[in-house]
């Protein structure tokens, strides 16, 4: 797959670069450049990112960072079985637990919410940092909702992190998930309150909390183009038929 000339491979994280030092330099550079493309395209063009990840895997499947990148690319394309296999491989290579929440979410994607809940209660969760533990809580709540257990999902999300007034990287998503669960359970007043709190903490617009809040408040967003077309139609009605319309006759056909 083509890679822009401005991508050198030096853009990747230094820890990943260090992992690639086990490869011959030319090969390491090729892998690094493909990993850069995966990172660049993962959000805006996940299918293309997946293509670059497959190239990197073909070149260096024994590098943990490559397996992890392949996992995230597959995950972004909803290829959950493939993603889980790559994440498991990366975890075997590194021995870390950082991928535990996304692995559990893959189980959800594969239609196995019970397995995700088992993972949420595993000892590995205690080894996660705070961000990882919050992510695991989000996955567990999602699994509860998959199983139709709305009240249990709400309780799962109730935590010191949710109650805290400080804004952390995970705050907006946690508040949003809580609001969404409340709304699904028919608790609209509380849901509105938490969507508003999500908006307050969503500094990088990582959720559509503002749209959800507006929807609850009955605010409708009108497309500017549609509005102009409506105005033109109204003006046409007021001004009467055009010269061509008169010439054509009432039914629009020329005599």
């Amino acid at each position: 797959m083509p890679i822009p000339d401005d991508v050198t491979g030096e853009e990747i994280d230094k820890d990943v670069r260090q992992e690639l030092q086990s490869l011959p330099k030319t090969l390491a550079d090729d892998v690094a450049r493909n990993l850069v493309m995966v990172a660049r395209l993962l959000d805006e063009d996940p299918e293309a990112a997946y293509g670059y990840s497959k190239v990197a895997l073909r070149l260096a499947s024994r590098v943990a960072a490559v397996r992890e990148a392949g996992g995230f690319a597959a995950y972004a394309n909803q290829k959950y079985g493939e993603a889980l296999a790559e994440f498991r491989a990366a975890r075997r290579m590194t021995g870390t637990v950082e991928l535990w929440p996304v692995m559990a979410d893959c189980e959800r994607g594969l239609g196995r919410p019970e397995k995700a809940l088992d993972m949420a209660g595993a000892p590995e969760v205690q080894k996660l940092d705070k961000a990882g533990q919050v992510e695991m809580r989000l996955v567990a709540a999602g699994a509860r909702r998959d199983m139709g257990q709305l009240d249990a999902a709400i309780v799962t999300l109730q935590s010191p992190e949710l109650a805290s007034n400080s804004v952390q990287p995970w705050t907006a998503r946690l508040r949003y998930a809580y609001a969404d669960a409340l709304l699904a359970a028919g608790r609209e007043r509380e849901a509105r309150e938490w969507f508003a709190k999500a908006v307050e903490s969503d500094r990088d617009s990582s959720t559509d909390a503002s749209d959800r809040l507006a929807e609850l408040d009955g605010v409708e967003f009108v497309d500017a183009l549609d509005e102009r077309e409506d105005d033109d139609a109204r003006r046409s009605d007021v001004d009467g038929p055009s010269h061509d319309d008169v010439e054509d006759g009432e039914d629009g056909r020329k005599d």
Side-chain angles (χ1 to χ4, degrees), residues 3-233:
I3 298 177
D5 293 337
D6 66 323
V7 175
T8 65
E10 295 294 335
E11 300 90 342
I12 63 174
D13 185 85
K14 64 179 182 180
D15 292 336
V16 176
R17 192 75 193 179
Q18 188 172 359
E19 277 192 66
L20 296 178
Q21 287 180 357
S22 62
L23 304 173
K25 187 178 187 312
T26 301
L27 179 58
D29 289 342
D30 287 344
V31 173
R33 295 180 73 211
N34 278 281
L35 292 180
V36 170
M37 295 305 296
V38 173
R40 281 191 179 185
L41 298 170
L42 195 59
D43 292 330
E44 62 185 61
D45 191 349
E47 188 174 350
Y50 178 74
Y52 284 105
S53 76
K54 298 302 284 186
V55 174
L57 282 165
R58 190 169 65 248
L59 295 173
S61 62
R62 295 186 180 183
V63 176
V66 173
R67 302 303 289 266
E68 184 174 329
F72 278 111
Y75 178 81
N77 284 275
Q78 300 183 4
K79 299 177 184 292
Y80 298 115
E82 185 177 336
L84 185 57
E86 297 298 345
F87 289 142
R88 283 173 173 168
R91 183 167 180 266
R92 283 195 301 270
M93 293 174 178
T94 62
T96 65
V97 296
E98 294 175 1
L99 296 171
W100 197 251
V102 71
M103 289 169 62
D105 206 39
C106 286
E107 295 288 1
R108 285 186 62 211
L110 291 168
R112 301 193 292 244
E114 298 89 350
K115 178 62 176 176
L117 287 176
D118 288 343
M119 294 179 69
E124 284 82 355
V125 176
Q126 302 306 314
K127 301 175 184 178
L128 293 168
D129 60 14
K130 182 61 69 176
Q133 290 180 4
V134 170
E135 194 65 36
M136 192 71 246
R137 190 177 291 275
L138 288 167
V139 172
R144 291 292 185 190
R145 292 189 63 172
D146 293 343
M147 299 166 67
Q149 300 173 3
L150 286 175
D151 290 340
I154 291 170
V155 171
T156 298
L157 293 168
Q158 292 170 345
S159 61
E161 293 79 21
L162 179 67
S164 175
N165 290 323
S166 67
V167 176
Q168 303 295 335
W170 58 77
T171 303
R173 291 179 58 239
L174 185 58
R175 291 176 176 179
Y176 181 96
Y178 189 58
D180 195 45
L182 288 168
L183 187 61
R187 295 161 61 174
E188 185 172 315
R189 183 185 61 80
E190 294 170 86
R192 191 208 173 280
E193 176 187 347
W194 282 97
F195 276 126
K197 290 182 177 181
V199 170
E200 291 173 2
S201 57
D202 197 358
R203 295 169 178 170
D204 58 357
S205 299
S206 61
T207 73
D208 65 347
S210 59
D211 292 341
R212 300 292 300 277
L213 183 60
E215 184 180 336
L216 284 174
D217 288 341
V219 177
E220 291 187 17
F221 295 100
V222 179
D223 186 275
L225 181 60
D226 291 342
E227 196 172 48
R228 284 197 298 272
E229 290 175 349
D230 290 342
D231 288 342
D232 291 342

